[in-house]
C-alpha cells in the first residue's frame, strides 16, 4: 500500500509559533506561511499565531500547541543569524532539537521553518527573495504531513 498526502488544507486548524527576534525576517516567513495555507484551503480564522520572544522559546510554545489538541498542524517559524559568539550554535541547535523531538513524538505534524543562517543577507534571501520563502515551504510540509498522517491512521 502507498500513502501519499495532498495539499488540501480545508478544515485544518494550524498554529503558527513565531519567534519575534529578527522580526524583519520572521514576519516575512509568517506572511509566506499564511499565504500558502490560505491558498491551499485553510480558512484564515483557523490560523492562530503564537508569538514568542525568540527561537529558543519556539519548542516550548509548539509543545503547548500540540498538547492542546486544538490543532491539526503546528508550524514553527524563526530566524537565528550567526554572530561573533558561539551563542548562535546553542540557540539554533536547541531550537531545532526541541522541534525535532516534538515532531517525532507527536501525532500532529510539526513543521520546521526556522532559518539558521550565517548572514542577514542569507536570511532575507530565504524569507521571500532569491531562495523563495521557507515559511511557505514549511507550511506545504505541514499540509502534506497532515494528509499523510490521516491516511496512515485511517481517519
Amino acid at each position: 500500500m502507498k500513502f501519499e498526502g495532498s495539499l488540501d488544507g480545508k478544515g485544518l486548524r494550524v498554529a503558527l509559533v513565531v519567534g519575534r527576534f529578527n522580526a524583519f525576517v520572521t514576519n516575512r516567513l509568517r506572511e509566506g506561511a499564511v499565504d500558502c495555507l490560505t491558498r491551499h484551503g485553510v480558512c484564515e480564522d483557523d490560523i492562530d499565531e503564537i508569538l514568542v520572544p525568540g527561537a529558543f522559546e519556539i519548542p516550548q510554545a509548539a509543545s503547548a500547541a500540540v498538547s492542546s489538541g486544538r490543532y491539526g498542524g503546528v508550524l514553527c517559524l524563526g530566524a537565528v543569524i550567526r554572530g561573533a559568539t558561539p551563542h548562535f550554535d546553542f540557540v539554533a541547535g536547541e531550537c531545532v532539537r526541541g522541534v525535532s523531538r516534538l515532531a517525532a513524538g507527536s501525532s500532529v505534524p510539526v513543521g520546521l521553518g526556522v532559518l539558521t543562517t550565517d548572514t542577514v543577507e542569507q536570511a532575507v534571501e530565504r524569507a521571500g527573495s532569491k531562495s523563495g520563502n521557507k515559511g511557505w515551504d514549511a507550511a506545504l510540509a505541514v499540509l502534506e504531513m497532515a494528509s499523510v498522517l490521516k491516511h496512515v491512521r485511517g481517519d
Side-chain angles (χ1 to χ4, degrees), residues 23 33 48 56 60 72 74 115 132:
D48 291 340
F56 188 79
Q60 185 176 27
V74 175
L115 302 180

Side-chain angles (χ1 to χ4, degrees), residues 51-137:
L51 303 179
V52 297
F56 188 79
E57 294 78 18
I58 288 172
Q60 185 176 27
S63 178
V66 165
S67 300
S68 75
R70 296 178 57 198
Y71 301 103
V74 175
L75 183 54
C76 302
L77 303 172
V80 187
I81 302 169
R82 187 177 299 280
T85 68
H87 183 71
F88 168 89
D89 298 313
F90 299 116
V91 172
E94 290 307 314
C95 175
V96 172
R97 242 184 311 284
V99 172
S100 223
R101 252 185 259 126
L102 177 62
S106 173
S107 60
V108 174
V110 178
L112 179 64
V114 178
L115 302 180
T116 55
T117 64
D118 289 324
T119 66
V120 170
E121 292 78 20
Q122 289 172 343
V124 170
E125 285 175 3
R126 288 159 179 74
S129 67
K130 275 190 202 174
S131 300
N133 186 307
K134 299 307 178 189
W136 173 286
D137 296 345

Side-chain angles (χ1 to χ4, degrees), residues 18-24 26-27 51-55 58 77-78:
V18 185
R20 288 192 321 263
F21 199 78
N22 292 318
F24 66 98
T26 62
N27 285 338
L51 303 179
V52 297
I58 288 172
L77 303 172

Side-chain angles (χ1 to χ4, degrees), residues 11-58:
L12 188 67
R13 185 168 188 83
V14 179
L16 303 183
V17 180
V18 185
R20 288 192 321 263
F21 199 78
N22 292 318
F24 66 98
V25 175
T26 62
N27 285 338
R28 293 173 69 178
L29 294 172
R30 181 191 52 74
E31 290 166 4
V34 169
D35 186 33
C36 175
L37 293 170
T38 56
R39 286 180 189 245
H40 289 90
V42 177
C43 177
E44 229 173 299
D45 290 340
D46 287 336
I47 301 171
D48 291 340
E49 295 181 28
I50 302 167
L51 303 179
V52 297
F56 188 79
E57 294 78 18
I58 288 172

